[in-house]
Amino acid sequence: MKNAQPVFVAVIGAGGVGKSFLSQLRDLAIRRPSPQLKLCYIATSRKAIYSDDYFAIELDSAVQALAASSKTPRAVPDLLAYLTKAPGKAIIVDNTSSQDVAEAYPAALKAGISIVTPNKKAFSGSYKLWQDIFHAAADSGAKVYHESSVGAGLPVISTLKDLVETGDEVTKIEGVFSGTMSFLFNSFAPVGGGGGKWSDEVKKAKALGYTEPDPRDDLNGLDVARKLTILARLAGLPVESPTSFPVESLIPKELESCSSGDEFLEKLSAFDQKMEEKKASAGDKVVRFVGSIDVASKSVKVGLQTFDPSHPIAALKGSDNIISFYTKRYGSNPLIVQGAGAGGDVTAMGVTADLIKVVAQIA
Amino acid sequence: MKNAQPVFVAVIGAGGVGKSFLSQLRDLAIRRPSPQLKLCYIATSRKAIYSDDYFAIELDSAVQALAASSKTPRAVPDLLAYLTKAPGKAIIVDNTSSQDVAEAYPAALKAGISIVTPNKKAFSGSYKLWQDIFHAAADSGAKVYHESSVGAGLPVISTLKDLVETGDEVTKIEGVFSGTMSFLFNSFAPVGGGGGKWSDEVKKAKALGYTEPDPRDDLNGLDVARKLTILARLAGLPVESPTSFPVESLIPKELESCSSGDEFLEKLSAFDQKMEEKKASAGDKVVRFVGSIDVASKSVKVGLQTFDPSHPIAALKGSDNIISFYTKRYGSNPLIVQGAGAGGDVTAMGVTADLIKVVAQIA
């Protein structure tokens, strides 16, 4: 495009998603060189690379340069000041799950700095933070894109925004929003019967890397509750917080106080019988851990539900997510999006796609 | 947003999709008034409304004003000249299925006029036209968005573009791309057996408005072939035309020359036995009319295939579309998009959402 203005990009976080994102950014620069896009800052919690003259960081060697750097990251207000003085528009790509960074979004947006992130914290925290973010963006014209905050790279946020912005009436959103929960229930209660012991399935999921280091961080349902909070707010419900609606935890009360994830896993088998009973009580149906939003009754909930074997939620495979949007225009058959909802590459893909869209708008 | 430039919108076509689009545009203007967006031209094939000073047309009374207008539409080159002289950026929303309008896209884009359309013709015609369109857009910076050219408002084009632009490797695309074919086979060969006579199902589909006036325009497979052509090209295959790969027609040779759709429907029952045999030969599987693109082998095809009852394509309901994207990042479980793929409101929704995105980029 002609007359494109330079855009300065600051990346925070270089964990699994951050590294995948940097690699996608490098490949993008090779396929479609864009002198316009200048990566001027990368930071982890301990290290950073940047220069006072906003010199573009080489993407090929960014991860190595970061590891070798002796610079420490700028404090967030300092980073905002740095980007505000850049000779062009600026974008922060927040690949962390940090609450601190999330809370700086309103200040960044007010300063005209756009935000691209998979970080759920900002959008599923207090309703006031949500409002501050979107008011700041509306005032300054800076953009805030967060596709990967729900379902990783699956087109969930963008689809819901399109439905709402074009005036469709979303009546219900329902789905499996956690890759961990999807894997656990597809193995524990497969269609057609069978499946292993609950505690064994949790151990297997952990061994395969499908759970957080402490599996209780998945089993408490909070991750799903955060995603539901985001979708409910986009659908127009002023949900106060992810703890302001019913969330069923799969952590037995007795094990909440275990001092470690390992201790929890060790003691979990004592509760297998309870989960067996839940599976058995489903009868011909199968039990799944789902989230649902009923817009008319303003009801949001997260927990176990049973589904007919022919239901798309029952037919899910592996660790896939599925999200069904019921709307006035789509009628009785919902608009469904399905696929991997976790993993570094597909999460980074949502971030990279968002970055491309934001650049197209602000450059 | 601050300092937004005016954007002039010309709408061609006021049929089912066109009327739904104008109604969505009116609702959008009420919900989110945008003095920036100026509808300056609306035309059908016979009538038009516009003024030489680009005065914004009242959305509330546009359809009535059009019906009452004594002005005839501008010829396409004349319309381009009119929009080029507008005091701001311009967008043509082409809600027709006209080949003539489609062939003017390169000239429009060269002149800096963006295009938003559900019209498949431009993207599924000759490969040269495809190249001319995207080269012209790349040169001028004008945008061309056509989400509703495949799967109506379902996020199909945008998802495929995101996958490709972020560097994923699309290996296969497979699905049911026609609401008519979906309805016919879900009724004719439902999972679990049963289903009516083929000719009866076709008559029923026509009575319910699910087919073109002449059902042969659905049964020849060309509509699906056009959609596959678009997706294959976006995935990187230089498909020459929708007739350059195998497309199975469900019109018996003997009935190709029927002088009318009614005569065709009358004589179709003589071929019910052939379709019964196809259904029976599927055994435990069910037969469906699908399109598939295998990127590695550069093979595109459209026609009947059989699927296990547990396959998502077999489990489809009503007239829904389903599109599965197999990619390197998504691995063995594809990214799936499913839902209504036809109808005025959901098609217009894709157009309206595209318009919002284009305005955000060019204003």
Side-chain angles (χ1 to χ4, degrees), chain A residues 1-2 24 28 31 141 153 155 159 162 165-167 317 320 329-330 333 335-338 349 357 360-361, chain B residues 1 28 31 139 141 153 155 159 162 165-167 317 320 329-330 333 335-338 349 357 360-361:
Chain A
M1 215 213 287
K2 285 167 188 167
Q24 289 179 17
L28 182 66
R31 283 198 318 278
T159 298
D162 282 352
E165 285 185 357
T166 64
K317 290 204 169 61
D320 277 4
R329 285 189 198 133
Y330 278 89
N333 290 356
L335 188 170
I336 300 177
V337 175
Q338 181 180 329
M349 172 197 139
K357 286 167 198 166
Q361 289 176 65
Chain B
M1 213 211 291
L28 181 67
R31 284 198 316 279
D139 283 351
T159 297
D162 282 352
E165 285 185 357
T166 63
K317 290 204 170 60
D320 277 4
R329 284 189 198 134
Y330 278 90
N333 290 354
L335 188 170
I336 300 177
V337 176
Q338 181 179 331
M349 170 198 140
K357 286 168 198 166
Q361 290 176 65

Side-chain angles (χ1 to χ4, degrees), chain A residues 145 158 352-362, chain B residues 158 162 361:
Chain A
Y145 273 58
S158 52
T352 306
D354 277 354
L355 179 67
I356 292 171
K357 286 167 198 166
V358 170
V359 170
Q361 289 176 65
I362 66 174
Chain B
S158 53
D162 282 352
Q361 290 176 65

Side-chain angles (χ1 to χ4, degrees), chain B residues 211-225:
Chain B
T211 71
E212 296 293 324
D214 184 336
R216 286 178 296 181
D217 291 336
D218 296 297
L219 297 175
N220 63 13
L222 182 61
D223 170 70
V224 178

